[in-house]
């Protein structure tokens, strides 16, 4: 079980030379290929070329070099099997005890803008995964390393014992299969997208760990945060944290919800979120004006909330934000004055990330016990909707502005959802109710007297006219909803009865 012979072939050469030099000092014979061999030789490490082992040249531009019995026989032989040992001797195969391999940079290649399909294909590694899988399968006898972060652990054990422990070999083998599985998943996803296969017979995805979390939704639940290898830049997973303590599971969920809403706007906008629902949304000519409106929308619920802005946080806005307790503030940037003000608060998290137009669409994955639901994300905007005025009265210019705001926000609220808006801000939010009129009553109660002259947005159609009735009595003057109910006429008649302008969009925005 001692480490006598190592095969080294890596694309990522981070930490490689000192690691292999130290192995060589332990008397380990080093076999290597191509660029790796050259790098080691230039560093003064004695290396045996792969062709010297196989007796066959590297051919086809390096596509074929390690796919050979002299390599895989040395990796796969069961050392405790007399027949295997005899066959190795008969065929002149020497065992390989350590494999240090990482793969062609496929992810980095397809991440390049306008990468050529041929370049992507050429960066699909074949020999590397084959060696890794052979070594990992035979981990009872072979140590396999895919991550430079593991060099020090392996070297420590080799230097102390001239071998690697069973426990470490098993952990490294498991990591290797995760590595090759993730690699294959990226290739499968890339090719599936290229042929525009909508719902393949199997669905394989991979994510990379960003951080361990203290706990999940509740302290008794373990949790971690993973990011998509090639995910959109407008993602909380890509945010840079400038200040404050570590994000929690609930922080991340709430921050994502705030981010998705604020992306709907081009004018300065501020969104306040609690428990993944917006408690206040405001727009304005400046970030401080937008924040003032978001705060005024619900000054109680915003306490301990998450704030997202689509423009830089300046000193004036930061001063207002510092006057209340906030968990997180997300923005494209913070002015120096804003940072000076906000960082006086020890625990507040300040996050920056790109909020420019990002047309990359991602699949939305929802787990169910023992299964997975996959769908397109809801990127449907008002400019794509088939807008029609269903009532006798059309909305005024001001009502149109309130309706647009209501529609942008209600799309992101848990169903059943109702939003009341007025003067560039939300004034009432009814979320996650079992019936639509119940959601409307909550929003109306929150709005109070401000409901007079407001607009109402509904994420789905009205099954009955009771929501219109409740809205009218509260003083709502304009409604936007998908339409499509068999009882649409009842709601239209009720709206006409009260002089309400009602707009149909033809698209619903359920969010469960």
């Amino acid at each position: 079980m001692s480490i006598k012979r190592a095969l080294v072939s890596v694309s990522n050469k981070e930490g490689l030379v000192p690691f292999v030099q130290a192995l060589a000092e332990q008397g380990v014979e080093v076999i290597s290929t191509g660029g790796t061999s050259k790098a080691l030789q230039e560093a003064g490490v004695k290396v045996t070329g792969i062709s010297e082992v196989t007796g066959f040249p590297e051919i086809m531009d390096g596509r074929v070099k390690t796919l050979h019995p002299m390599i895989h026989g040395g990796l796969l032989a069961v050392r405790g099997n007399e027949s295997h040992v005899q066959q190795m001797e008969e065929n002149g195969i020497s065992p390989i005890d350590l494999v240090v391999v990482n793969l062609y940079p496929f992810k980095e290649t397809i991440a390049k803008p306008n990468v050529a399909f041929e370049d992507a294909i050429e960066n699909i590694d074949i020999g590397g995964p084959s060696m890794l899988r052979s070594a990992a399968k035979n981990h009872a006898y072979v140590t396999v390393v895919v991550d430079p972060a593991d060099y020090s652990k392996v070297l420590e054990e080799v230097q102390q014992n001239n071998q690697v422990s069973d426990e470490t070999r098993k952990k490294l083998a498991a990591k290797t299969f995760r590595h090759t599985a993730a690699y294959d998943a990226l290739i499968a996803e890339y090719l599936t997208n290229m042929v525009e296969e909508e719902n393949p017979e199997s669905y394989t995805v991979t994510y990379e760990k960003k951080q361990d979390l203290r706990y999940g939704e509740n302290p008794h639940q373990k949790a971690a945060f993973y990011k998509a290898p090639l995910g959109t830049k407008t993602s909380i997973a890509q945010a840079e944290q400038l200040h404050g303590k570590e994000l929690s599971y609930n922080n991340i969920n709430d921050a994502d919800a705030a981010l998705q809403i604020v992306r709907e706007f081009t004018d300065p906008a501020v969104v306040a979120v609690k428990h993944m629902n917006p408690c206040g949304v405001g727009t304005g000519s400046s970030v401080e004006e937008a924040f003032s409106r978001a705060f005024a929308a619900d000054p109680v619920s915003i306490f301990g909330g998450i704030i997202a802005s689509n423009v830089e946080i300046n000193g004036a806005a930061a001063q207002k934000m510092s006057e209340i307790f906030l968990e997180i503030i997300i923005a494209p940037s913070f002015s120096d004055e804003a940072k000076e003000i906000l960082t006086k608060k020890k625990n507040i998290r300040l996050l920056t990330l790109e909020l420019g137009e990002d047309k990359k669409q991602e699949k939305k994955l929802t787990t169910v016990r023992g299964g997975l639901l996959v769908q397109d994300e809801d990127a449907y905007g008002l400019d794509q909707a088939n807008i029609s005025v269903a009532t006798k009265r059309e909305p005024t210019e001001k009502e149109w502005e309130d309706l647009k705001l209501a529609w942008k926000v209600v799309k992101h609220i848990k169903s059943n959802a109702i939003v009341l808006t007025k003067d560039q801000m939300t004034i009432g939010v009814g979320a996650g109710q079992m019936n639509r009129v119940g959601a409307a009553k909550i929003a109306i109660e929150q709005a109070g007297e401000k409901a007079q002259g407001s607009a109402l947005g509904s994420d789905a159609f009205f099954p009955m006219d009771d929501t219109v009735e409740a809205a009218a009595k509260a003083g709502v003057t304009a409604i936007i909803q998908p339409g499509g109910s068999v009882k649409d006429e009842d709601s239209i008649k009720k709206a006409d009865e009260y002089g309400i302008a009602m707009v149909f969009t033809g698209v619903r925005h359920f969010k469960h």
Side-chain angles (χ1 to χ4, degrees), residues 278 405-406 409-410 413 417-421 426-430 443 455-458:
L405 175 59
V409 175
V410 79
I413 294 174
I418 296 289
V419 174
L420 267 62
T421 57
T426 57
I427 57 172
V429 177
L456 178 150
S458 174

Side-chain angles (χ1 to χ4, degrees), residues 43 50 62 76 190 210 226 287-288 307 318 338 348 360 415 417 461 489 497 499 507:
I50 201 76
L76 286 166
Y190 175 77
K210 182 177 174 71
Y226 290 80
V287 64
E288 58 267 32
I307 297 294
I348 192 170
K360 181 181 175 67
S415 302
F461 62 60
E489 282 302 317
E497 178 183 330
V507 60

Side-chain angles (χ1 to χ4, degrees), residues 93-130:
I93 298 172
S94 298
I96 298 172
D97 311 301
L98 171 64
V99 171
V100 183
V101 169
N102 51 58
L103 308 175
Y104 292 173
F106 181 79
K107 181 181 79 170
E108 292 77 7
T109 299
I110 63 173
K112 297 175 183 176
N114 304 315
V115 62
F117 179 72
E118 293 76 14
D119 289 340
I121 296 301
E122 203 57 39
N123 276 278
I124 296 175
D125 203 330
I126 300 300
S130 299

Side-chain angles (χ1 to χ4, degrees), residues 151-179:
Y151 289 170
S152 58
K153 172 65 175 173
V154 170
L155 184 59
E156 179 184 359
E157 294 194 21
V158 171
Q159 288 174 332
Q160 289 180 356
N161 307 308
N162 199 34
Q163 63 179 8
V164 178
S165 67
D166 290 344
E167 180 183 4
T168 299
R169 288 198 310 277
K170 286 179 181 177
K171 287 182 177 180
L172 291 173
K175 187 172 189 176
T176 296
F177 280 117
R178 293 196 299 271
H179 183 74

Side-chain angles (χ1 to χ4, degrees), residues 232 263 358-363 376-380:
T232 172
R263 287 182 61 230
D358 188 344
K359 295 181 179 179
K360 181 181 175 67
Q361 297 297 311
E362 295 192 338
K363 293 290 186 181
D376 296 334
E377 64 179 340
D378 187 359
Y380 203 99

Side-chain angles (χ1 to χ4, degrees), residues 292-478:
S292 294
R293 287 175 174 145
F295 174 80
D298 190 343
V300 175
S301 297
I302 199 174
F303 183 85
I306 279 74
I307 297 294
S309 168
N310 62 351
V311 294
E312 180 178 82
I313 303 296
N314 59 24
Q319 185 58 51
K320 290 182 178 181
M321 292 176 181
S322 70
E323 295 169 2
I324 59 173
F325 169 55
L326 297 172
E327 289 274 8
I328 301 172
I329 303 174
I330 310 165
S333 58
F334 294 80
S335 72
D336 290 341
E337 183 184 1
K339 282 189 280 190
E340 183 179 353
I341 293 168
L342 293 169
T343 53
K344 289 177 182 177
K345 292 197 165 190
K346 180 180 178 182
N347 292 327
I348 192 170
R349 290 90 156 179
L350 304 182
L351 305 179
T352 62
L353 77 166
E354 292 185 25
L355 279 173
E357 186 177 0
D358 188 344
K359 295 181 179 179
K360 181 181 175 67
Q361 297 297 311
E362 295 192 338
K363 293 290 186 181
K364 182 172 178 58
L365 312 182
T366 304
T367 59
V368 297
R369 190 170 177 85
L372 179 73
L373 291 169
V374 181
Q375 66 172 345
D376 296 334
E377 64 179 340
D378 187 359
Y380 203 99
L382 194 60
D383 56 341
Q384 299 165 283
N386 184 22
I387 300 292
S388 63
V389 178
T391 49
K392 294 176 182 177
R393 186 174 77 81
E394 292 197 3
T396 65
E397 184 176 343
K398 180 186 179 302
E399 286 172 335
W400 270 120
E401 292 305 310
D402 290 338
L403 289 171
K404 289 176 183 177
L405 175 59
W407 193 245
K408 288 178 179 179
V409 175
V410 79
K411 168 183 174 181
H412 296 277
I413 294 174
K414 296 287 187 181
S415 302
N416 287 315
I418 296 289
V419 174
L420 267 62
T421 57
K422 183 180 178 181
D423 299 331
Q424 295 184 268
M425 59 187 279
T426 57
I427 57 172
V429 177
Q433 297 306 300
M434 286 64 72
N435 61 74
R436 194 151 301 278
V437 71
K441 287 178 179 177
I442 291 172
I444 289 166
E445 181 180 357
Q446 182 186 0
E449 293 181 0
K450 289 185 288 187
Q452 290 289 333
S454 67
L456 178 150
S458 174
D459 65 328
F461 62 60
F462 299 147
M464 292 181 285
D465 63 6
D466 50 2
T467 300
V468 179
E469 178 85 31
K473 289 181 177 179
V476 171
T477 61

